């Protein structure tokens, strides 16, 4: 079911449910919590009854920070995005489109033209966008006094150094001298857990930069290992690079070089020996899951451990053959 059909169905059901009995006004506490609800919950709440639908749609505070994630991201189109963002009445502050492949340059441009107050634009994995489309949107937002302060574009195809150099001045002119001077290091194991509405003062204004190893525009990670900092004759820049150039442990984010013993998880992620030893292992193959994929294992009856999906599949194949 498309998002537009879902929204229309919810409104239709709300009208039908309220025909027999007129719904009263929602509790005043709704205005306190609706601004913290994810987009999916806001759309679902608008289908409960007409009073809730009207209360949610008219509460502009609930629509000032819009984050589209799974499962809505796969079906989000330009038209649906316009309908959702219009509820902010031109006061949208944050637009986070996580892996929304159907959003185009024209759709993004129409949204930013109608919402000039956007100061956080997150577009990771939006493969339907082009570098030129992103630059056009950033230029439009920078024409107003409330300029863009944070931009995420990792995963958009064909971004090169020229595009990055074009984007930087538009963001840096909106930051104070203190904000430009320093930012927290970006660690590989933490970037996937960074919340959508992150504290932008702690991170760089743009999530990608030129990798010092391969000279490509990608996310560049720092190394958190104290042992690397203490190595004599080795600067921290030796441990800094994109994930393609420097293999990193999925758990601690530390660099893994050729001299270290590398262990594999069931999910094929790289683990350093220290992290591998600390994680629970499969009862059969003695391999762990990283914490991100730990839910893939199954717990057999009467066991305190788990069996990985690979061993389960092999067991089922052998049982079928026998």
């Amino acid at each position: 079911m498309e998002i537009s059909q879902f929204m229309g169905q919810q409104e239709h059901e709300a009208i039908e449910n309220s025909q027999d009995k007129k719904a009263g006004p929602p509790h005043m506490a709704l205005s306190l919590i609706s601004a913290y609800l994810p987009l999916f919950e806001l759309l679902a709440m608008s289908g409960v009854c007409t009073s809730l639908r009207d209360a949610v749609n008219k509460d502009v505070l609930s629509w000032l920070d819009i984050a589209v994630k799974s499962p809505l991201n796969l079906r989000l189109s330009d038209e649906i995005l316009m309908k959702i963002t219009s509820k902010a009445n031109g006061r949208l502050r944050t637009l986070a489109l996580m892996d929304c492949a159907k959003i185009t340059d024209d759709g993004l441009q129409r949204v930013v033209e109608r919402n000039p107050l956007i100061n956080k634009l997150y577009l990771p994995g939006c493969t339907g966008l082009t570098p030129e489309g992103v630059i056009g949107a950033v230029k439009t937002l920078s024409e107003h006094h409330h300029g863009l302060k944070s931009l995420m574009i990792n995963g958009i195809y064909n971004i090169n150094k020229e595009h990055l150099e074009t984007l930087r001045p538009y963001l840096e002119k909106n930051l104070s001298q203190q904000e430009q001077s320093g930012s927290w290091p970006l660690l590989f194991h933490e970037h996937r857990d960074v919340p959508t509405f992150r504290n932008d003062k702690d991170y760089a204004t743009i999530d990608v930069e030129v990798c010092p190893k391969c000279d490509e525009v990608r996310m560049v990670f720092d190394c958190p290992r104290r042992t690397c900092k203490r190595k004599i004759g080795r600067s921290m820049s030796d441990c800094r690079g994109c994930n393609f150039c420097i293999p990193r442990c999925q758990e601690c984010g530390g660099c893994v070089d050729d001299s270290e013993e590398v262990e594999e998880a069931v999910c094929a992620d790289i683990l350093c020996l220290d992290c591998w030893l600390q994680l629970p292992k499969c009862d059969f193959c003695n391999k762990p899951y990283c914490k991100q994929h730990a839910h893939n294992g199954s717990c057999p009856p009467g066991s305190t451990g788990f069996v990985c999906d690979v061993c389960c599949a092999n067991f089922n194949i052998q049982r079928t053959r026998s």
Side-chain angles (χ1 to χ4, degrees):
M1 182 183 295
E2 296 294 334
I3 302 177
S4 57
Q5 296 176 346
F6 173 79
M7 296 171 65
Q9 180 180 344
Q10 295 294 335
E11 293 181 359
H12 178 69
E13 291 178 354
I15 295 174
E16 286 187 344
N17 293 338
S18 62
Q19 286 179 346
D20 296 334
K21 182 179 179 180
K22 186 177 180 180
H27 196 278
M28 292 179 60
L30 177 66
S31 60
L32 301 177
I33 65 171
S34 59
Y36 298 94
L37 293 177
L39 178 61
F40 188 85
E41 278 71 13
L42 282 176
L43 297 177
M45 184 180 292
S46 64
V48 175
C49 62
T50 53
S51 60
L52 272 179
R53 180 198 65 191
D54 295 338
V56 170
N57 290 340
K58 293 178 181 179
D59 185 11
V60 178
L61 293 178
S62 302
W63 305 96
L64 296 183
D65 300 294
I66 293 178
V68 183
K69 307 176 184 179
S70 179
L72 300 179
N73 59 339
L74 299 178
R75 299 173 179 176
L76 186 72
S77 63
D78 293 341
E79 292 73 19
I80 299 172
L81 180 62
M82 277 297 301
K83 185 175 182 180
I84 293 175
T85 55
S86 64
K87 298 180 184 294
N89 294 335
R91 297 167 55 187
L92 188 64
R93 299 178 305 195
T94 301
L95 179 61
L97 307 178
M98 321 304 285
D99 301 309
C100 298
K102 293 184 178 181
I103 299 301
T104 66
D105 294 342
D106 292 337
L108 178 63
Q109 186 65 30
R110 291 200 301 268
V111 170
V112 298
E113 287 175 354
R114 290 165 174 77
N115 296 273
L117 302 182
I118 294 176
N119 54 40
K120 300 176 186 177
L121 185 61
Y122 301 156
L123 309 168
C126 293
T127 54
L129 297 174
T130 65
E132 292 74 20
V134 174
I135 293 174
V138 172
K139 284 183 178 180
T140 301
L141 293 173
S142 299
E143 292 172 355
H144 303 85
H145 295 293
H146 296 80
L148 191 64
K149 294 185 178 180
S150 180
L151 178 66
M152 294 176 63
I153 53 176
N154 180 53
I156 296 178
Y157 296 143
N158 302 321
I159 295 180
N160 55 38
K161 290 187 288 186
E162 288 73 21
H163 296 135
L164 192 61
E165 291 303 317
T166 303
L167 287 169
R168 284 190 183 279
Y170 292 105
L171 282 86
E172 291 176 353
K173 71 179 183 180
N174 299 317
L175 300 179
S176 64
Q177 187 72 20
Q178 182 179 2
E179 290 173 324
Q180 293 184 36
S181 60
S183 61
W184 286 94
L186 181 62
L187 304 180
F188 174 72
H189 66 299
E190 292 181 351
H191 87 277
R192 65 176 183 269
D193 300 323
V194 174
T196 303
F197 306 120
R198 61 184 185 175
N199 183 359
D200 298 294
K201 292 184 179 180
D202 293 343
Y203 296 92
T205 55
I206 308 180
D207 63 334
V208 295
E209 58 181 290
V210 179
C211 175
K213 303 292 184 182
C214 63
D215 206 37
E216 296 290 337
V217 177
R218 292 169 176 156
M219 293 189 75
V220 176
F221 301 101
D222 298 277
C223 186
R225 285 191 172 186
R226 296 181 180 178
T227 54
C228 289
K229 297 178 181 179
R230 292 197 297 263
K231 284 183 180 179
I232 301 177
R234 182 178 183 180
S235 65
M236 289 307 297
S237 60
D238 294 338
C239 300
R240 194 169 188 273
C242 68
N243 192 38
F244 293 91
C245 297
I246 300 180
R248 298 190 182 278
C249 174
Q250 188 72 17
E251 288 298 305
C252 68
C255 62
V256 180
D257 55 31
D258 297 334
S259 62
E260 296 184 62
E261 187 174 356
V262 179
E263 302 291 342
E264 263 197 13
V266 180
C267 47
D269 288 321
I270 296 176
L271 297 172
C272 66
L273 182 59
D274 291 338
C275 292
W276 187 90
L277 291 173
Q278 296 177 18
L279 293 171
K281 313 294 190 300
C282 171
D283 292 342
F284 288 89
C285 67
N286 198 39
K287 286 185 178 182
Y289 278 111
C290 67
K291 294 179 181 178
Q292 186 180 9
H293 301 104
H295 62 278
N296 292 336
S298 58
C299 183
S303 173
T304 57
F306 73 92
V307 178
C308 69
D309 54 349
V310 176
C311 292
C312 285
N314 293 336
F315 175 76
N316 291 332
I317 292 174
Q318 293 177 2
R319 186 174 60 178
T320 302
R321 290 177 178 176
S322 62

